[in-house]
Amino acid sequence: MGKFYSKQTNIWTKSRSTKELPVYPHLTISNFPKNEGETIILKDGRSLGFKEYNFKHITQHPITNNLNKEHVILLIPGLPCTRFFCHPQVLSSLEFHQQQEPKIPNNMSTESLNSYTLQIKLYVLERPGIGLSTFAKRSFLEFSQDIKEFCDQKKIENCSLIAYSAGGPYGLAAAYSLGKSTDNSSKPLITKAAIISSIAPYNVPNLTSNMPLKLKFAWWLTKNWTGLLSLIARMESNAVMKDPVKASREGRSDAPQSDIECIENLKGVEEMFIESSLEMYSRGQIETECYEYSLWGKDWGFQLNEISGGVKCKVWHGEEDSGTTISMGKYIALQIPGCEASFVEEKGHLLYFEVWNDIVDWLVT
């Protein structure tokens, strides 16, 4: 739920961090917004922003077919996240034009090396009112129509999908509406959907269990007082534009220890969140964030148990996640027919960054 900003001592740096965190002199409001990225024009005249990342993925799972196939993955990130949100490993691959040499199992010869190297085309999509996308009050299901138009224009016949955090409902809606076989194809447009640390419907039992009090209050506001929640969100955006690094760290001051360690140990994670925050807020897109919060307290327009027809789903969720609680992840996995699940002990909301390779492995094998 964004950061739900509060003015408190920076617990992160004073008592919980064991390492000196970096500074980011380039991450200032004067360097934003950015023009990098692309758009398509939808049928109703709106723009949909996106960024394309082409990288190689090394898998330890033997690939028995489609060795030369380029795998297309759509990514729907959370809030506030833009087309610049992917994964540090993807950026490293682009920067160095290669990944580390894959490990070869003892029973495999070097001739089989190519079967472990896959080409991935990742599209990070921006929802209406985020980044380069035109603002519009679209529901979760209506955004699925935008995804369908995007795939039509890009001539994508089949792909898989990753949805993270606040992007989860949009990914689940896409699995529901685009995960069914059509008259023109035996395979659905969305063949697999990886749902990581996702928001769940507002009526989930024990939805706010293990949440800090401020987040419980914010969840109550999504259904009962969105005006006040919007005011708080605007306070957050002002804090980010004034001092983005400080605001980011104070916003995570009560995060589980695993999230703190993820920020410390995986270069690029914190920077990625700050970059997207500045990209959104420098464009004055706080209205988008407020609108999406209001959707969380409403009916989604479909039932999770209606997701079927060919798409395969898997949920990843950290058991110590205090933002989107483990109750949310377990509810989603239980409701979707045939859904796989990985509930990870002692991990929080940043689990996405730690299980990235597992996610991509599952999507492409």
Side-chain angles (χ1 to χ4, degrees):
M1 185 165 295
K3 293 167 288 299
F4 200 65
Y5 179 70
S6 61
K7 293 184 178 179
Q8 54 184 298
T9 303
N10 195 340
I11 302 172
W12 182 304
T13 56
K14 289 193 174 182
S15 64
R16 300 186 64 191
S17 177
T18 59
K19 297 182 180 180
E20 183 176 349
L21 293 173
V23 295
Y24 310 103
H26 61 293
L27 293 180
T28 62
I29 195 66
S30 61
N31 292 331
F32 291 84
K34 296 183 176 181
N35 294 320
E36 301 168 39
E38 301 177 67
T39 61
I40 63 165
I41 304 301
L42 301 169
K43 292 178 181 178
D44 61 4
R46 290 181 296 115
S47 295
L48 188 152
F50 69 95
K51 198 170 191 313
E52 177 182 326
Y53 300 85
N54 293 283
F55 66 99
K56 294 185 184 299
H57 174 70
I58 309 300
T59 178
Q60 299 304 311
H61 296 279
I63 307 298
T64 57
N65 52 36
N66 295 326
L67 297 182
N68 298 316
K69 176 183 177 181
E70 181 179 65
H71 296 266
V72 177
I73 300 175
L74 309 180
L75 171 58
I76 307 175
L79 275 175
C81 291
T82 65
R83 63 197 179 280
F84 300 122
F85 183 94
C86 53
H87 191 279
Q89 188 170 308
V90 174
L91 298 182
S92 295
S93 175
L94 297 175
E95 181 178 354
F96 297 107
H97 303 290
Q98 62 181 6
Q99 292 184 328
Q100 63 183 6
E101 291 296 320
K103 297 179 181 178
I104 306 173
N106 293 333
N107 62 341
M108 297 296 291
S109 65
T110 55
E111 286 77 17
S112 301
L113 184 61
N114 288 336
S115 68
Y116 287 86
T117 305
L118 301 176
Q119 184 65 38
I120 309 294
K121 185 184 290 292
L122 177 72
Y123 290 108
V124 183
L125 305 181
E126 293 182 320
R127 301 188 292 279
I130 293 178
L132 301 176
S133 291
T134 307
F135 177 73
K137 291 186 175 182
R138 304 281 279 174
S139 69
F140 299 138
L141 283 174
E142 287 172 333
F143 184 63
S144 297
Q145 299 171 18
D146 296 348
I147 295 175
K148 177 64 166 59
E149 281 195 53
F150 176 84
C151 291
D152 288 344
Q153 291 196 33
K154 290 295 182 180
K155 302 187 184 314
I156 299 170
E157 296 181 356
N158 307 109
C159 61
S160 53
L161 178 145
I162 300 172
Y164 173 58
S165 189
Y170 294 92
L172 290 164
Y176 165 77
S177 58
L178 305 177
K180 300 177 176 65
S181 301
T182 65
D183 295 337
N184 298 325
S185 175
S186 59
K187 295 176 66 177
L189 175 59
I190 305 294
T191 57
K192 284 187 174 182
I195 310 299
I196 303 96
S197 306
S198 175
I199 298 294
Y202 69 90
N203 55 355
V204 170
N206 303 313
L207 179 138
T208 59
S209 297
N210 302 321
M211 273 189 187
L213 182 59
K214 65 181 183 181
L215 292 184
K216 288 184 178 181
F217 180 52
W219 266 102
W220 182 85
L221 292 176
T222 64
K223 189 176 181 181
N224 298 284
W225 197 354
T226 55
L228 179 56
L229 186 57
S230 296
L231 176 62
I232 294 170
R234 287 179 169 81
M235 292 171 58
E236 284 187 358
S237 68
N238 290 336
V240 169
M241 289 189 287
K242 181 179 179 181
D243 190 335
V245 176
K246 179 182 178 182
S248 176
R249 291 173 184 172
E250 288 185 344
R252 299 184 190 280
S253 60
D254 53 6
Q257 185 62 31
S258 61
D259 284 356
I260 305 297
E261 292 172 355
C262 179
I263 292 287
E264 291 180 343
N265 298 327
L266 188 53
K267 181 181 178 182
V269 172
E270 183 179 47
E271 185 176 1
M272 194 169 287
F273 279 109
I274 296 172
E275 182 179 29
S276 276
S277 296
L278 287 171
E279 176 67 12
M280 275 192 68
Y281 298 151
S282 65
R283 292 179 180 272
Q285 293 175 333
I286 188 61
E287 183 67 24
T288 300
E289 191 169 332
C290 297
Y291 172 70
E292 290 202 3
Y293 287 159
S294 73
L295 293 179
W296 297 359
K298 299 177 181 178
D299 184 87
W300 285 14
F302 67 99
Q303 299 298 317
L304 295 176
N305 60 15
E306 296 172 340
I307 297 176
S308 60
V311 64
K312 296 180 180 179
C313 297
K314 184 170 181 178
V315 168
W316 277 265
H317 217 104
E319 293 193 353
E320 293 188 0
D321 193 328
S322 58
T324 56
T325 61
I326 188 62
S327 296
M328 298 187 191
K330 289 183 175 180
Y331 179 85
I332 293 170
L334 183 64
Q335 291 296 308
I336 300 174
C339 184
E340 300 178 51
S342 178
F343 303 121
V344 187
E345 295 180 354
E346 300 181 352
K347 295 298 180 182
H349 196 64
L350 300 187
L351 176 68
Y352 163 91
F353 295 98
E354 302 188 64
V355 297
W356 172 258
N357 284 327
D358 294 337
I359 294 167
V360 178
D361 273 355
W362 181 78
L363 291 174
V364 301
T365 58

